[in-house]
Amino acid sequence: MNKLPEKFESYDELKRKGFLDIKELKESGKNVVGVFCTYSPAELVYAAGAIPVSLCGTSEEPIQYAERDLPKNLCPLIKSSYGHAVSDTCPFFYFSDLILGETTCDGKKKMYELLNEIKDTYVMQLPQNPDLKSSFDLWRSEIVRFKEKLEEKFDVEITEEKLREEIRRGNIQRKNMMEYFELGKLNPPALNGVEMNGVQDGFGFRFDREESNKDLISRTKELKENWEKNLKGTITNRPRILVTGCPVGGVREKILQTIELAGGDIVAYDNCSGIREKRDLIDETKDPIDAIAEKYLKVSCSVMSPNTRRIEDISSICEEFKVDAVIEVVLQACHTFAIEATKVRRHVNDELNLPYLYIESDYSMLDFGQIKTRIEAFFEMI
Ligand code: BJ8
């Protein structure tokens, strides 16, 4: 792994601080909306004067509690999220006034019904074919319905002006995050993939947006300067890796770190732990509800069918980030990503002429040795 300038907060540090901050914010009277998914329109939550917070779902410990109510053969992310809620071990869930879910995969949407027994859980009906006009109309009406729910729940009015302001602020954040991610385009990359993933996920727990923007800009600058001074012009034969598939926060050490310790450089993530949502800004010239609906319907998650946008994204990311190989990480029992992997593999092998490795795993360390061996063998082969 590249040696980076020390001291940028790790995911765990960000999360720990987030616990303290959310408690303080709650005590000062702020409303909190817990979110699980990239389809969640954060702009509406901010415009209602509330704070969106990413809920816990990346650790193995609470899965035992989830399995009392949920099947064992279910995605670890869903079991971990539910397990945290029933065992009361996620402060973000505890301090949330409302939980927001969307009808994405079957496991999540059925889990939300049980979650609603613990805390007010509002579910947006997400259409599954992003290209139809009727899907846009339905999703737009769901954005309006959620807006009304927030207005009623928090006794506020979400004005057009507030929405425009939150769209503008969200776009600034996306641009800053993209500039940080684009450090992966440099050769050798100016940052490592484990940090990249931790920052993307950990920023869901940073509630002072001005502060977190400032920190991100200064980290980007620091890494760029370090690259200019210490890395520019150095030769590396480490393969440049795109990680695609499911969110990978729960397998950060087991898989991401192993990829980099085994000799690869993760230069980009085409998933919800990476640039999937950051590349498209919300159109600031349009009616804000239309623009929000349009933006979030473009998220290229495998729950969409057909999901041609993801294949297009993989092509353009491989080209822009000069990717040498693609590693797809699928969480166990995630049917949509597992099935879509066939198309991704064909596309990567046959159209992009790049090597492809498929890894299916859960949050336990039982398969660590096997995964390490497969990654090492993959790097020897390419
Ligand atoms: S937009 S990737 S955050 S749904 S991994 S729970 S799909 S069975 S997490 Fe996701 Fe939103 Fe899509 Fe992103 Fe289901 Fe699959 Fe589990 Fe998943």
Side-chain angles (χ1 to χ4, degrees), residues 244-313:
T244 187
C246 295
V248 283
V251 290
R252 190 173 298 116
E253 277 76 38
K254 183 167 72 169
I255 299 181
L256 306 184
Q257 197 160 288
T258 303
I259 291 173
E260 299 208 308
L261 289 174
D265 282 331
I266 299 173
V267 295
Y269 294 88
D270 154 64
N271 58 20
C272 287
S273 309
I275 60 184
R276 174 171 290 149
E277 189 274 329
K278 306 290 173 232
R279 300 213 305 168
D280 290 315
L281 300 182
I282 302 187
D283 191 333
E284 295 180 29
T285 64
K286 289 189 175 168
D287 163 72
I289 298 283
D290 280 349
I292 290 171
E294 192 177 275
K295 192 259 172 329
Y296 286 98
L297 202 54
K298 278 194 204 151
V299 172
S300 59
C301 172
S302 63
V303 296
M304 290 296 173
S305 176
N307 189 27
T308 46
R309 192 165 284 125
R310 177 159 172 235
I311 299 291
E312 290 160 12
D313 284 351

Side-chain angles (χ1 to χ4, degrees), residues 11-12 15 55-60 76-77 80 193-194 196-202 205 243-257 269 271-274 329-331 362-365:
Y11 171 83
D12 289 335
K15 194 169 173 183
L55 296 169
C56 315
T58 57
S59 42
E60 197 197 0
L77 196 154
S80 177
V194 174
M196 206 190 296
N197 171 262
V199 165
Q200 152 72 14
D201 286 359
F205 313 126
V243 171
T244 187
C246 295
V248 283
V251 290
R252 190 173 298 116
E253 277 76 38
K254 183 167 72 169
I255 299 181
L256 306 184
Q257 197 160 288
Y269 294 88
N271 58 20
C272 287
S273 309
V329 181
V330 171
L331 296 176
D362 60 12
Y363 290 175
S364 80
M365 287 303 277

Side-chain angles (χ1 to χ4, degrees), residues 37-39 75 77-78 104-105 108 246-247 272 301 331 334 337:
C37 182
T38 309
Y39 285 105
C75 155
L77 196 154
I78 302 174
T104 52
C105 61
K108 259 187 180 169
C246 295
C272 287
C301 172
L331 296 176
C334 174
F337 275 104

Side-chain angles (χ1 to χ4, degrees), residues 59-65 80 84 87:
S59 42
E60 197 197 0
E61 293 81 42
I63 287 182
Q64 55 184 308
Y65 304 107
S80 177
H84 270 297
S87 60

